[in-house]
Amino acid sequence: MVFSTIIVTSALKGAISLMGTGLWLVPLLIAGLSYYHYDQLDPESRPIDRYPLYSNYDFIVVGGGSAGAVVASRLSEIPDWNVLLLEAGPDENEITDVPSLAAYLQLTKLDWKYKTEPTGKACLAMKGGRCNWPRGKVLGGSSVLNYMLYVRGNRYDYDHWESLGNSGWGYKQVLYYFKKSEDNRNPYLQKSPYHATNGYLTVQESPWKTPLVVAFIQAGVEMGYENRDINGERQTGFMISQGTIRRGNRCSTAKAFLRPVRLRRNIHTAINSHVTKIIIDPLTMKAIGVEFVRDGRKQMVRARKEVILSAGAINSPQILMLSGIGPKEHLRHIGIPVIEDLRVGDNLQDDVGMGGLAFLIDKPVVIVQDRFQSAPMTMHYVVNGRGPMTALGGVEGYAFVNTKYANYSIDYPDLQFHMAPASINSDAGVQVRKIFGLTDEVYNTVYRPITNKDAWTLIPVLLRPKSRGTIRLKNSNPFHSPLINANYFSDPMDIAVLVEGVKIAIKISEAKVFKQFGSRIHRIKLPGCKHFKFGSDAYWECHIRHISETIYHPVGTAKMGPPTDPTAVVDPRLRVYGITGLRVIDASIMPTISSGNTNAPVIMIGEKGADLIKQDWLRSSSGNNHESVY
Ligand SMILES: Cc1cc2nc3c(=O)[nH]c(=O)nc-3n(C[C@H](O)[C@H](O)[C@H](O)COP(=O)(O)OP(=O)(O)OC[C@H]3O[C@@H](n4cnc5c(N)ncnc54)[C@H](O)[C@@H]3O)c2cc1C
Ligand SMILES: *[C@@H]1O[C@H](CO)[C@@H](O)[C@H](O)[C@H]1NC(C)=O
């Protein structure tokens, strides 16, 4: 997922982590962007960072990420309501706009820089046995750090949510909200009943492709899979990536949903505003406001109607627990008075895959750092919005396939591939190894010998893991990172499916169409797996446990479920059990993870969540003219 980086020089990298090492390419890029591109091609100006704030709002939205930006924008469509959006991070900048620089945003001040706790079962090739878990700390949230892949998940995911007792969340109902957001710019998809063209969120292909992605799609066809719109009628198949990009630039949710409404008088956005607590009246059990720190000053603001938590699957549970809502034994242990005993922070799920496969080739068609550090390439991007810098975080193609464990009687693949025209070696160890946190021993033994050689990769990703992790507080300090136990591979099926996935990846790489490139697998063994025969199931299991790669999709930590579900934190209208005036609307509410990348599903959750709020408040005040669509 991270290979876009290689098209940037190490000089650029230093500058991005921000700013000014004085090296020349970044100044050129930034000057070029602001001169040719940025204002001209992005007609909407930035949201206004509002001073001073009122002391009361109808709605307070905490977190301006993939979901929060949608919720705040949609609520402000009701002119009688006023809305405050509080975001801990700053605004986007010129670098966040460049798709190929996505990985360079990690480990900067725009990233919360989380790490998982070591378990001894996964992330073994990473420093300290801990995987990096980046999260956006910026207006637009993780939609500003992400690789922009647009994937909705499988219809059965949503039908399953509904079957758990979450009425209104079946595929038919959620499809309406996916389409409500979408502005699809691909001519061949615009007429599809599964897509729409007048939403806020621009979706399109990268204008740049390598011949390898074409081979990837052909290899799929050779193996009996179809080249199809995996966001359409059926999911199984191969496709050139669709992305949330606009005119070659990133289209974050802040850009899509907040910039067009910046002049509405009833929406206030406050950045650099870190929420530390929700204030709950213990007598009425109602959320009456929030505490936050802005410019080093602690403040409080009141909510007349509701507080909406959209701080993401790590921070929403953190804020709930800091406010006394969570597992009572844990809160007592930390010393936080318990207001409501709920299973907050449980049910953590993440898509995990195997990083580090490298297929070497003989033709110079892929991304290698040396070849791409030219001024002409930069200027082609700046002036035309084209060229390799528009690559979607480097992932050119994706596929959904069945391992032998999948249910073949329905269209419900259990494995996804991300195809990238580069591998860990391709940037000579500059950035990719750092954002993985790979140890020097692993990098130097396995990847240094093929530095700057042409290579491509497939990342097999487990859809619907069975393992469940947790988020817990380290202590009661709201500025300390919570403890993340991803608990990867605690269920042996999760490894078994991935081992099959690796074997399918190798078959794809051995398809006839790849012969013209001389494609062959890189065979140096990982130091920790030396004792296994290269290519055996045991070897792949060992590799998976070493280079366990998060696909950055943590969800599920404030689970949605019916009142009969003792593990549910919110009801199917996303209201926190036991508290009035408080909802969670973000990735945390997924009862089970969607099959694929999570940004589009989270935006859908934001759309539907905003409609649920409108229904609940407008029904009581003005009859039934705002009845739900379903
Ligand atoms: C590196 C990376 C690559 C990814 N690639 C893809 C991809 O290609 N395709 C895809 O579909 N998905 C991808 N994802 C996942 C996807 O982006 C997320 O699932 C989605 O953005 C989550 O949305 P959210 O609204 O739940 O949380 P977020 O978007 O993370 O938003 C939470 C917001 O709340 C703010 N916040 C947190 N705590 C506080 C606080 N205390 N006070 C105030 N504000 C706070 C945060 O700063 C942030 O802005 C990727 C994610 C990452 C990190
Ligand atoms: C496969 O899916 C069908 C249709 O939903 C279902 O009836 C069947 O039980 C499933 N089989 C397995 C092994 O899960």
Side-chain angles (χ1 to χ4, degrees):
M1 304 279 299
V2 293
F3 301 105
S4 53
T5 61
I6 19 254
I7 63 188
V8 202
T9 64
S10 50
L12 189 44
K13 190 252 146 192
I16 282 154
S17 54
L18 293 169
M19 276 321 289
T21 53
L23 294 157
W24 63 276
L25 197 53
V26 160
L28 174 68
L29 177 65
I30 291 174
L33 285 171
S34 30
Y35 185 77
Y36 282 99
H37 197 101
Y38 198 67
D39 297 334
Q40 195 185 333
L41 291 185
D42 184 37
E44 307 96 10
S45 305
R46 303 310 190 83
I48 298 158
D49 186 21
R50 166 78 198 197
Y51 283 95
L53 301 177
Y54 302 156
S55 55
N56 280 278
Y57 290 86
D58 291 310
F59 295 94
I60 301 171
V61 180
V62 177
S66 292
V70 177
V71 173
S73 175
R74 293 297 187 191
L75 291 181
S76 72
E77 288 170 352
I78 307 296
D80 293 347
W81 290 348
N82 65 9
V83 180
L84 173 64
L85 175 61
L86 293 169
E87 165 54 48
D91 200 358
E92 299 171 271
N93 60 41
E94 285 80 354
I95 303 295
T96 60
D97 246 26
V98 184
S100 68
L101 297 184
Y104 283 82
L105 306 170
Q106 292 179 35
L107 305 175
T108 72
K109 66 167 184 165
L110 304 185
D111 177 5
W112 288 88
K113 301 193 213 36
Y114 293 129
K115 281 183 194 296
T116 59
E117 295 300 305
T119 62
K121 290 190 210 139
C123 310
L124 300 177
M126 318 305 179
K127 293 184 175 145
R130 311 176 74 184
C131 276
N132 283 331
W133 266 28
R135 296 278 94 197
K137 187 178 186 181
V138 51
L139 198 61
S142 298
S143 80
V144 176
L145 261 56
N146 74 15
Y147 296 121
M148 293 153 281
L149 301 173
Y150 184 81
V151 174
R152 291 180 179 171
N154 190 293
R155 66 173 68 222
Y156 294 112
D157 298 333
Y158 305 106
D159 288 344
H160 176 62
W161 292 6
E162 184 160 55
S163 76
L164 296 173
N166 299 301
S167 63
W169 290 90
Y171 180 67
K172 262 230 300 268
Q173 289 99 324
V174 303
L175 178 59
Y176 168 84
Y177 290 106
F178 280 113
K179 289 171 67 176
K180 182 174 184 184
S181 299
E182 186 184 20
D183 180 21
N184 197 300
R185 298 279 100 210
N186 273 102
Y188 82 101
L189 289 176
Q190 290 184 345
K191 290 205 193 73
S192 158
Y194 292 90
H195 293 280
T197 55
N198 18 4
Y200 280 124
L201 184 72
T202 314
V203 177
Q204 59 188 182
E205 279 172 16
S206 160
W208 183 76
K209 283 182 205 55
T210 66
L212 274 188
V213 72
V214 180
F216 168 69
I217 307 280
Q218 279 170 6
V221 173
E222 227 181 282
M223 293 172 69
Y225 286 98
E226 275 174 60
N227 171 18
R228 71 147 50 88
D229 173 18
I230 57 90
N231 293 314
E233 194 184 347
R234 293 172 64 83
Q235 190 184 33
T236 310
F238 283 58
M239 187 185 195
I240 303 234
S241 304
Q242 296 267 302
T244 43
I245 54 172
R246 181 183 290 173
R247 301 179 210 95
N249 286 346
R250 176 188 295 279
C251 185
S252 70
T253 56
K255 183 186 280 186
F257 291 88
L258 294 177
R259 293 189 196 185
V261 306
R262 65 191 283 274
L263 296 178
R264 275 184 198 155
R265 300 162 72 117
N266 65 336
I267 179 168
H268 286 177
T269 301
I271 57 176
N272 301 311
S273 300
H274 189 129
V275 172
T276 49
K277 192 180 177 177
I278 303 157
I279 305 161
I280 295 156
D281 179 342
L283 290 177
T284 58
M285 292 294 268
K286 179 175 177 344
I288 53 174
V290 305
E291 265 174 27
F292 65 103
V293 174
R294 189 188 200 190
D295 304 326
R297 209 166 58 80
K298 189 160 164 178
Q299 330 187 13
M300 179 193 157
V301 63
R302 286 179 163 267
R304 279 188 294 265
K305 292 189 166 68
E306 292 194 22
V307 173
I308 294 125
L309 259 185
S310 301
I314 298 171
N315 296 76
S316 284
Q318 180 192 29
I319 296 168
L320 285 170
M321 290 188 277
L322 288 168
S323 314
I325 302 168
K328 71 169 185 265
E329 64 294 348
H330 173 60
L331 296 183
R332 284 200 189 121
H333 174 71
I334 297 288
I336 293 175
V338 180
I339 291 188
E340 186 70 15
D341 177 22
L342 291 172
R343 300 313 302 172
V344 171
D346 287 3
N347 194 44
L348 173 63
Q349 297 159 61
D350 182 28
D351 289 327
V352 60
M354 188 186 91
L357 268 182
F359 302 111
L360 296 165
I361 54 174
D362 299 329
K363 290 202 177 146
V365 292
V366 296
I367 298 172
V368 173
Q369 165 158 318
D370 278 359
R371 205 175 294 138
F372 280 87
Q373 38 182 297
S374 70
M377 179 205 77
T378 307
M379 291 315 288
H380 186 46
Y381 170 74
V382 164
V383 178
N384 305 316
R386 294 190 165 271
M389 294 198 99
T390 62
L392 298 171
V395 177
E396 285 196 279
Y398 38 57
F400 290 83
V401 304
N402 297 306
T403 72
K404 67 181 187 194
Y405 302 111
N407 187 342
Y408 279 79
S409 65
I410 49 174
D411 172 52
Y412 208 15
D414 58 349
L415 198 94
Q416 180 181 6
F417 290 113
H418 291 95
M419 179 269 165
S423 186
I424 292 186
N425 62 296
S426 311
D427 73 343
V430 171
Q431 178 75 353
V432 173
R433 69 187 285 205
K434 283 194 193 135
I435 64 177
F436 277 151
L438 276 187
T439 64
D440 293 346
E441 189 199 11
V442 168
Y443 186 80
N444 291 337
T445 313
V446 183
Y447 299 103
R448 191 171 297 287
I450 54 168
T451 292
N452 278 330
K453 287 236 165 67
D454 286 276
W456 64 287
T457 197
L458 286 171
I459 305 165
V461 179
L462 172 70
L463 299 171
R464 304 187 298 280
K466 291 195 168 22
S467 307
R468 297 287 183 267
T470 56
I471 305 286
R472 290 289 182 265
L473 299 177
K474 200 177 293 166
N475 54 43
S476 59
N477 185 330
F479 295 97
H480 286 183
S481 299
L483 298 172
I484 300 170
N485 179 4
N487 209 18
Y488 291 140
F489 311 129
S490 71
D491 189 307
M493 262 315 280
D494 290 352
I495 282 273
V497 172
L498 269 178
V499 168
E500 294 308 306
V502 180
K503 294 192 279 190
I504 299 172
I506 294 169
K507 279 207 193 104
I508 295 173
S509 80
E510 290 169 348
K512 270 205 253 54
V513 57
F514 280 113
K515 299 274 190 276
Q516 59 182 303
F517 301 99
S519 181
R520 65 214 179 265
I521 192 165
H522 174 53
R523 303 180 69 94
I524 298 182
K525 287 192 209 173
L526 291 174
C529 306
K530 277 203 300 262
H531 46 299
F532 295 112
K533 181 168 167 277
F534 184 86
S536 63
D537 284 11
Y539 180 80
W540 291 128
E541 168 164 355
C542 180
H543 183 136
I544 292 163
R545 292 188 188 277
H546 275 76
I547 310 188
S548 324
E549 184 175 355
T550 175
I551 312 297
Y552 315 109
H553 301 155
V555 306
T557 48
K559 180 188 176 193
M560 170 173 72
T564 48
D565 178 354
T567 65
V569 173
V570 298
D571 72 8
R573 302 189 76 77
L574 308 185
R575 296 173 297 204
V576 174
Y577 279 111
I579 313 284
T580 45
L582 181 61
R583 294 191 211 230
V584 180
I585 305 183
D586 63 24
S588 321
I589 66 102
M590 292 192 189
T592 53
I593 193 165
S594 57
S595 305
N597 314 65
T598 43
N599 192 46
V602 171
I603 293 170
M604 174 280 286
I605 289 167
E607 291 279 19
K608 184 163 165 76
D611 254 15
L612 292 172
I613 295 173
K614 288 179 181 175
Q615 288 162 17
D616 287 350
W617 287 94
L618 298 175
R619 186 163 42 209
S620 50
S621 62
S622 62
N624 65 356
N625 51 346
H626 282 272
E627 266 305 301
S628 142
V629 190
Y630 287 100

